[in-house]
Amino acid sequence: MSAATPHTPESGPPIRVLLADDQHLVRTGFRVILEVEDDIEVVGEAADGERAVTMTRATRPDVVLMDVEMPGMDGLEATRRIVADGPEAPAVLILTTFDRDDYLFAALRAGASGFLLKNGTPEELIEAIRVLARGDGLLAPEITRRVISTFARPGDPAGTAHRGPDADAALAELTPREREVLMLLAAGSSNAEIAETIHLGEATVKTHVSRVLAKLGLRDRVQAVVFAYENGVVRPGG
């Protein structure tokens, strides 16, 4: 399976997208939206999680657009199985109605690289696919706020830090600047916002982000947000 590689609309082959949703009309709508874009190609459709996993391995997309609630195997389990194929696996973009915290955190921990609300615009969907195809992760600002607020709730299992020796060892490898970048990532800051905050160029920030992810063994900035809160690196309001 080919890994998702950096991509821009002006260069390289089209971004290959697999649609996974149990509603035929929804899949058709997504296909209509995406196929008018010169740099995006829909390579298949799946109506349940099991089919999504099978077709992902067969068609080798760059991005899987994944619904959560599907018959049989749901989108969460399908995401776990797709991501378990290793670094060569495609990025998974979860479409959520944003009313279920348990779905959100299960999808984060399953390894999804991006989240969008189902009431978003076609332009937001297209841009999200391009972002993931470039190798970046994506969280809608509303979802980042939900992550932070949930971790802030006392006694909430999702908000409990569970730092172990492996996390401590990985964190010890970070330089002070890299730890600062991790904390800003956890706040949902973009590379441009991080650059402005710590007075560095965006290219330098991008290098720091890549080093943070590599040292912590994380796939993308979405996982960095989860790691930072689960391991007590940052606290909401801190």
Coordinates of all heavy atoms in Angstrom, one line a residue, residues 163-231:
R163 N 0.6 8.8 31.9 CA 2.0 8.8 31.4 C 2.7 7.6 32.0 O 2.8 7.4 33.2 CB 2.7 10.1 31.8 CG 4.0 10.2 31.1 CD 4.4 11.7 30.8 NE 5.1 12.3 31.9 CZ 5.1 13.6 32.1 NH1 4.5 14.4 31.3 NH2 5.8 14.1 33.2
G164 N 3.4 6.9 31.1 CA 4.2 5.7 31.5 C 5.6 6.0 31.2 O 6.0 7.0 30.7
P165 N 6.5 5.0 31.5 CA 7.9 5.1 31.3 C 8.3 5.4 29.8 O 9.2 6.1 29.5 CB 8.5 3.8 31.8 CG 7.3 2.8 31.8 CD 6.1 3.7 32.1
D166 N 7.5 4.8 28.9 CA 7.8 5.0 27.4 C 7.6 6.5 27.1 O 8.4 7.1 26.3 CB 7.0 4.1 26.6 CG 7.4 2.6 26.7 OD1 8.5 2.4 27.2 OD2 6.6 1.8 26.3
A167 N 6.5 7.0 27.6 CA 6.2 8.4 27.3 C 7.2 9.3 27.9 O 7.7 10.3 27.3 CB 4.8 8.8 27.8
D168 N 7.6 9.0 29.1 CA 8.7 9.8 29.8 C 10.0 9.8 29.0 O 10.6 10.9 28.9 CB 8.9 9.3 31.2 CG 7.8 9.7 32.2 OD1 7.2 10.8 32.0 OD2 7.5 9.0 33.1
A169 N 10.4 8.6 28.6 CA 11.6 8.5 27.8 C 11.5 9.3 26.5 O 12.5 10.0 26.1 CB 11.9 7.0 27.5
A170 N 10.4 9.2 25.8 CA 10.2 9.9 24.6 C 10.2 11.4 24.8 O 10.9 12.2 24.0 CB 8.9 9.5 23.9
L171 N 9.6 11.9 25.8 CA 9.5 13.3 26.1 C 10.9 13.9 26.5 O 11.2 15.0 26.2 CB 8.5 13.6 27.3 CG 7.1 13.5 26.9 CD1 6.2 13.5 28.1 CD2 6.7 14.7 26.0
A172 N 11.7 13.0 27.1 CA 13.0 13.4 27.5 C 13.9 13.7 26.3 O 14.9 14.4 26.4 CB 13.7 12.4 28.4
E173 N 13.5 13.2 25.2 CA 14.3 13.4 23.9 C 14.0 14.7 23.3 O 14.8 15.2 22.4 CB 14.0 12.3 22.9 CG 14.4 10.9 23.3 CD 15.9 10.7 23.4 OE1 16.6 11.3 22.5 OE2 16.4 10.2 24.4
L174 N 13.0 15.4 23.7 CA 12.6 16.7 23.1 C 13.5 17.8 23.7 O 13.8 17.8 24.9 CB 11.1 17.0 23.4 CG 10.1 16.1 22.9 CD1 8.7 16.6 23.2 CD2 10.2 15.8 21.4
T175 N 13.9 18.7 22.8 CA 14.6 19.9 23.2 C 13.5 20.8 23.8 O 12.3 20.7 23.6 CB 15.2 20.6 22.0 OG1 14.2 21.1 21.1 CG2 16.2 19.6 21.3
P176 N 14.0 21.8 24.6 CA 13.0 22.8 25.1 C 12.2 23.5 24.1 O 11.0 23.7 24.2 CB 13.9 23.8 25.8 CG 15.1 23.1 26.2 CD 15.3 22.1 25.1
R177 N 12.8 23.8 22.9 CA 12.0 24.4 21.8 C 10.9 23.4 21.3 O 9.8 23.8 21.0 CB 12.9 24.8 20.7 CG 12.2 25.4 19.5 CD 11.5 26.7 19.9 NE 12.4 27.8 19.8 CZ 12.1 29.1 20.2 NH1 10.9 29.3 20.7 NH2 12.9 30.1 20.1
E178 N 11.3 22.1 21.1 CA 10.4 21.1 20.6 C 9.2 20.9 21.6 O 8.1 20.7 21.2 CB 11.1 19.8 20.4 CG 12.1 19.9 19.1 CD 13.0 18.7 19.0 OE1 13.1 17.9 20.0 OE2 13.7 18.7 18.0
R179 N 9.5 20.9 22.9 CA 8.5 20.8 23.9 C 7.5 22.0 23.8 O 6.3 21.8 24.0 CB 9.1 20.7 25.3 CG 8.1 20.2 26.3 CD 8.7 20.1 27.7 NE 7.8 19.6 28.7 CZ 7.7 18.3 29.1 NH1 8.5 17.4 28.5 NH2 6.8 18.0 30.0
E180 N 8.1 23.2 23.6 CA 7.2 24.3 23.4 C 6.3 24.2 22.2 O 5.1 24.5 22.2 CB 8.1 25.6 23.3 CG 7.4 26.9 23.2 CD 8.3 28.1 23.1 OE1 9.5 27.9 22.8 OE2 7.8 29.2 23.3
V181 N 6.9 23.7 21.1 CA 6.1 23.4 19.9 C 5.0 22.4 20.2 O 3.8 22.6 19.7 CB 7.0 23.0 18.7 CG1 6.2 22.4 17.6 CG2 7.9 24.1 18.3
L182 N 5.3 21.4 20.9 CA 4.3 20.4 21.3 C 3.1 21.0 22.1 O 1.9 20.7 21.8 CB 4.9 19.2 22.1 CG 4.0 18.2 22.7 CD1 3.2 17.5 21.6 CD2 4.7 17.2 23.5
M183 N 3.4 21.9 23.0 CA 2.4 22.5 23.8 C 1.5 23.4 22.9 O 0.3 23.4 23.1 CB 3.0 23.3 24.9 CG 3.8 22.5 25.9 SD 4.7 23.4 27.2 CE 3.3 24.1 28.1
L184 N 2.1 24.1 21.9 CA 1.3 24.9 21.0 C 0.5 24.0 20.1 O -0.7 24.4 19.7 CB 2.2 25.8 20.2 CG 2.9 26.9 21.1 CD1 4.0 27.6 20.3 CD2 1.8 27.9 21.5
L185 N 1.0 22.9 19.6 CA 0.2 21.9 18.9 C -1.0 21.5 19.6 O -2.1 21.4 19.1 CB 1.1 20.7 18.5 CG 2.1 20.9 17.4 CD1 2.9 19.6 17.3 CD2 1.4 21.2 16.1
A186 N -0.8 21.2 20.9 CA -1.9 20.7 21.8 C -3.0 21.8 21.9 O -4.1 21.5 22.2 CB -1.4 20.4 23.1
A187 N -2.6 23.1 21.7 CA -3.6 24.1 21.8 C -4.3 24.3 20.5 O -5.2 25.2 20.4 CB -2.9 25.4 22.2
G188 N -4.0 23.5 19.5 CA -4.6 23.6 18.2 C -4.0 24.6 17.3 O -4.6 25.0 16.2
S189 N -2.8 25.1 17.6 CA -2.2 26.2 16.7 C -1.7 25.6 15.4 O -1.2 24.5 15.3 CB -1.0 26.8 17.5 OG -1.5 27.4 18.7
S190 N -1.9 26.4 14.4 CA -1.3 26.1 13.1 C 0.2 26.4 13.0 O 0.7 27.1 14.0 CB -2.0 26.8 12.0 OG -1.7 28.2 12.1
N191 N 0.9 25.9 12.0 CA 2.3 26.3 11.9 C 2.5 27.8 11.8 O 3.4 28.3 12.4 CB 2.9 25.6 10.6 CG 3.1 24.1 10.8 OD1 2.9 23.6 11.9 ND2 3.5 23.4 9.8
A192 N 1.6 28.5 11.1 CA 1.7 29.9 11.0 C 1.6 30.6 12.4 O 2.3 31.5 12.8 CB 0.7 30.5 10.0
E193 N 0.6 30.1 13.2 CA 0.4 30.6 14.5 C 1.5 30.3 15.5 O 1.9 31.2 16.3 CB -1.0 30.1 15.1 CG -2.2 30.6 14.3 CD -3.5 29.9 14.7 OE1 -3.4 28.7 15.1 OE2 -4.5 30.4 14.5
I194 N 2.1 29.1 15.3 CA 3.2 28.8 16.2 C 4.4 29.7 15.8 O 5.1 30.2 16.7 CB 3.6 27.3 16.0 CG1 2.5 26.4 16.5 CG2 4.9 27.0 16.7 CD1 2.7 24.9 16.2
A195 N 4.6 29.9 14.5 CA 5.7 30.7 14.1 C 5.6 32.1 14.6 O 6.6 32.7 15.1 CB 5.7 30.8 12.5
E196 N 4.4 32.7 14.6 CA 4.2 34.0 15.2 C 4.4 34.1 16.7 O 5.0 35.0 17.2 CB 2.8 34.5 14.8 CG 2.5 35.9 15.3 CD 1.1 36.4 14.9 OE1 0.4 35.6 14.2 OE2 0.7 37.5 15.3
T197 N 4.0 33.0 17.4 CA 4.1 33.0 18.8 C 5.5 32.9 19.3 O 5.9 33.6 20.2 CB 3.3 31.8 19.4 OG1 1.9 31.9 19.0 CG2 3.4 31.7 20.9
I198 N 6.3 32.1 18.6 CA 7.7 31.9 19.1 C 8.7 32.5 18.2 O 9.9 32.3 18.3 CB 8.0 30.4 19.3 CG1 7.9 29.6 17.9 CG2 7.2 29.8 20.3 CD1 8.2 28.1 18.1
H199 N 8.2 33.4 17.3 CA 9.1 34.2 16.4 C 10.1 33.4 15.6 O 11.3 33.7 15.7 CB 9.8 35.3 17.3 CG 8.9 36.0 18.2 ND1 8.0 36.9 17.8 CD2 8.8 36.0 19.6 CE1 7.3 37.4 18.8 NE2 7.8 36.9 19.9
L200 N 9.6 32.5 14.9 CA 10.4 31.7 14.0 C 9.7 31.7 12.6 O 8.5 32.0 12.5 CB 10.5 30.2 14.5 CG 11.4 30.0 15.7 CD1 11.3 28.5 16.1 CD2 12.8 30.4 15.5
G201 N 10.5 31.3 11.6 CA 9.9 31.1 10.3 C 9.0 29.8 10.2 O 9.3 28.9 10.9
E202 N 8.1 29.9 9.3 CA 7.2 28.7 9.2 C 8.0 27.4 8.8 O 7.6 26.3 9.2 CB 6.1 28.9 8.2 CG 4.9 29.8 8.7 CD 3.7 29.8 7.8 OE1 3.2 28.7 7.5 OE2 3.3 30.9 7.4
A203 N 9.0 27.6 7.9 CA 9.8 26.4 7.5 C 10.5 25.8 8.7 O 10.5 24.6 8.9 CB 10.8 26.8 6.4
T204 N 11.0 26.7 9.6 CA 11.7 26.2 10.8 C 10.7 25.5 11.7 O 11.0 24.4 12.3 CB 12.3 27.3 11.6 OG1 13.3 28.0 10.7 CG2 13.1 26.8 12.8
V205 N 9.5 26.1 11.9 CA 8.4 25.4 12.7 C 8.1 24.1 12.1 O 7.9 23.1 12.9 CB 7.2 26.3 12.8 CG1 6.0 25.6 13.4 CG2 7.5 27.6 13.6
K206 N 7.9 24.0 10.8 CA 7.6 22.7 10.2 C 8.6 21.6 10.5 O 8.3 20.5 10.8 CB 7.4 22.9 8.7 CG 6.9 21.6 8.0 CD 6.7 21.9 6.5 CE 6.1 20.6 5.8 NZ 5.8 20.9 4.4
T207 N 9.9 22.0 10.5 CA 11.0 21.1 10.9 C 10.8 20.7 12.3 O 11.0 19.5 12.6 CB 12.3 21.8 10.7 OG1 12.5 22.1 9.3 CG2 13.5 20.8 11.1
H208 N 10.5 21.6 13.2 CA 10.4 21.3 14.6 C 9.2 20.3 14.8 O 9.3 19.3 15.6 CB 10.1 22.5 15.5 CG 11.4 23.3 15.8 ND1 12.5 22.8 16.3 CD2 11.6 24.7 15.6 CE1 13.4 23.7 16.4 NE2 12.9 24.9 16.0
V209 N 8.1 20.6 14.1 CA 6.9 19.7 14.2 C 7.3 18.3 13.8 O 6.9 17.3 14.4 CB 5.7 20.2 13.4 CG1 4.6 19.2 13.3 CG2 5.2 21.5 14.0
S210 N 8.0 18.2 12.7 CA 8.4 16.9 12.2 C 9.3 16.1 13.2 O 9.1 14.9 13.4 CB 9.1 17.0 10.8 OG 8.3 17.6 9.8
R211 N 10.2 16.8 13.8 CA 11.0 16.2 14.8 C 10.3 15.8 16.0 O 10.5 14.7 16.6 CB 12.2 17.2 15.2 CG 13.2 17.4 14.1 CD 14.2 18.5 14.4 NE 15.2 18.6 13.4 CZ 16.1 19.6 13.3 NH1 16.1 20.5 14.2 NH2 17.0 19.6 12.3
V212 N 9.3 16.6 16.5 CA 8.5 16.2 17.6 C 7.7 14.9 17.3 O 7.7 14.0 18.1 CB 7.5 17.3 18.0 CG1 6.4 16.8 18.9 CG2 8.2 18.5 18.5
L213 N 7.1 14.9 16.1 CA 6.3 13.7 15.8 C 7.2 12.4 15.7 O 6.9 11.3 16.2 CB 5.6 13.9 14.4 CG 4.6 15.0 14.4 CD1 4.0 15.1 13.0 CD2 3.5 14.8 15.5
A214 N 8.4 12.6 15.1 CA 9.3 11.5 14.9 C 9.8 11.0 16.3 O 9.8 9.8 16.6 CB 10.5 11.9 14.1
K215 N 10.2 11.9 17.2 CA 10.7 11.5 18.5 C 9.7 10.8 19.4 O 10.0 9.9 20.2 CB 11.3 12.7 19.2 CG 12.6 13.2 18.6 CD 13.2 14.4 19.4 CE 14.5 14.9 18.8 NZ 15.1 16.0 19.6
L216 N 8.4 11.3 19.2 CA 7.3 10.7 20.0 C 6.7 9.5 19.3 O 5.8 8.9 19.9 CB 6.3 11.8 20.3 CG 6.8 13.0 21.1 CD1 5.6 13.9 21.4 CD2 7.4 12.5 22.5
G217 N 7.1 9.2 18.1 CA 6.5 8.1 17.4 C 5.1 8.3 17.0 O 4.3 7.4 17.0
L218 N 4.7 9.5 16.6 CA 3.4 9.9 16.3 C 3.2 10.1 14.8 O 4.1 10.5 14.1 CB 3.0 11.2 17.0 CG 3.1 11.2 18.6 CD1 2.8 12.5 19.1 CD2 2.2 10.1 19.2
R219 N 2.0 9.8 14.3 CA 1.7 9.9 12.9 C 1.5 11.3 12.4 O 2.0 11.7 11.3 CB 0.4 9.1 12.6 CG 0.0 9.0 11.1 CD -1.3 8.3 11.0 NE -1.8 8.3 9.6 CZ -1.6 7.3 8.8 NH1 -1.0 6.2 9.2 NH2 -2.1 7.4 7.5
D220 N 0.8 12.1 13.2 CA 0.5 13.5 12.7 C 0.2 14.4 13.9 O 0.2 13.9 15.1 CB -0.6 13.5 11.7 CG -1.8 12.7 12.2 OD1 -2.2 12.9 13.4 OD2 -2.4 11.9 11.5
R221 N -0.2 15.6 13.7 CA -0.4 16.6 14.7 C -1.7 16.2 15.5 O -1.8 16.6 16.7 CB -0.4 18.0 14.2 CG -1.5 18.3 13.2 CD -1.2 19.5 12.3 NE -1.0 20.7 13.1 CZ 0.1 21.5 12.9 NH1 1.0 21.3 12.0 NH2 0.2 22.6 13.7
V222 N -2.6 15.5 14.9 CA -3.8 15.1 15.7 C -3.4 14.2 16.8 O -3.8 14.3 17.9 CB -4.8 14.4 14.7 CG1 -5.9 13.8 15.5 CG2 -5.4 15.3 13.7
Q223 N -2.5 13.2 16.5 CA -2.0 12.3 17.6 C -1.2 13.1 18.6 O -1.2 12.8 19.8 CB -1.2 11.2 17.0 CG -2.0 10.2 16.2 CD -1.2 8.9 15.9 OE1 0.0 8.9 16.1 NE2 -1.9 7.9 15.4
A224 N -0.6 14.2 18.2 CA 0.2 15.0 19.1 C -0.7 15.7 20.2 O -0.4 15.8 21.3 CB 1.0 16.1 18.4
V225 N -1.9 16.1 19.7 CA -2.9 16.7 20.6 C -3.3 15.7 21.7 O -3.3 16.0 22.9 CB -4.1 17.2 19.9 CG1 -5.2 17.6 20.9 CG2 -3.7 18.3 19.0
V226 N -3.6 14.5 21.2 CA -4.0 13.4 22.2 C -2.9 13.1 23.1 O -3.1 13.0 24.3 CB -4.5 12.2 21.4 CG1 -4.9 11.1 22.4 CG2 -5.7 12.5 20.5
F227 N -1.7 12.9 22.6 CA -0.5 12.5 23.4 C -0.3 13.6 24.5 O -0.1 13.2 25.7 CB 0.7 12.4 22.5 CG 2.0 12.0 23.3 CD1 2.4 10.7 23.4 CD2 2.8 13.0 23.9 CE1 3.5 10.4 24.1 CE2 3.9 12.7 24.6 CZ 4.3 11.4 24.7
A228 N -0.3 14.8 24.1 CA 0.0 15.9 25.1 C -1.0 15.9 26.2 O -0.6 16.1 27.4 CB 0.0 17.2 24.4
Y229 N -2.3 15.7 26.0 CA -3.3 15.7 27.0 C -3.3 14.4 27.8 O -3.4 14.5 29.1 CB -4.6 16.1 26.5 CG -4.8 17.5 26.2 CD1 -4.7 18.0 24.9 CD2 -5.0 18.4 27.2 CE1 -4.8 19.4 24.7 CE2 -5.1 19.8 27.0 CZ -5.0 20.3 25.7 OH -5.1 21.6 25.5
E230 N -3.1 13.3 27.2 CA -3.2 12.0 27.9 C -2.0 11.9 28.8 O -2.0 11.2 29.8 CB -3.2 10.9 26.9 CG -4.6 10.7 26.3 CD -4.7 9.4 25.5 OE1 -3.7 8.9 25.0 OE2 -5.8 8.8 25.6
N231 N -0.9 12.5 28.4 CA 0.4 12.3 29.2 C 0.7 13.5 30.1 O 1.8 13.6 30.6 CB 1.5 12.0 28.3 CG 1.4 10.7 27.6 OD1 1.6 9.6 28.3 ND2 1.0 10.6 26.4

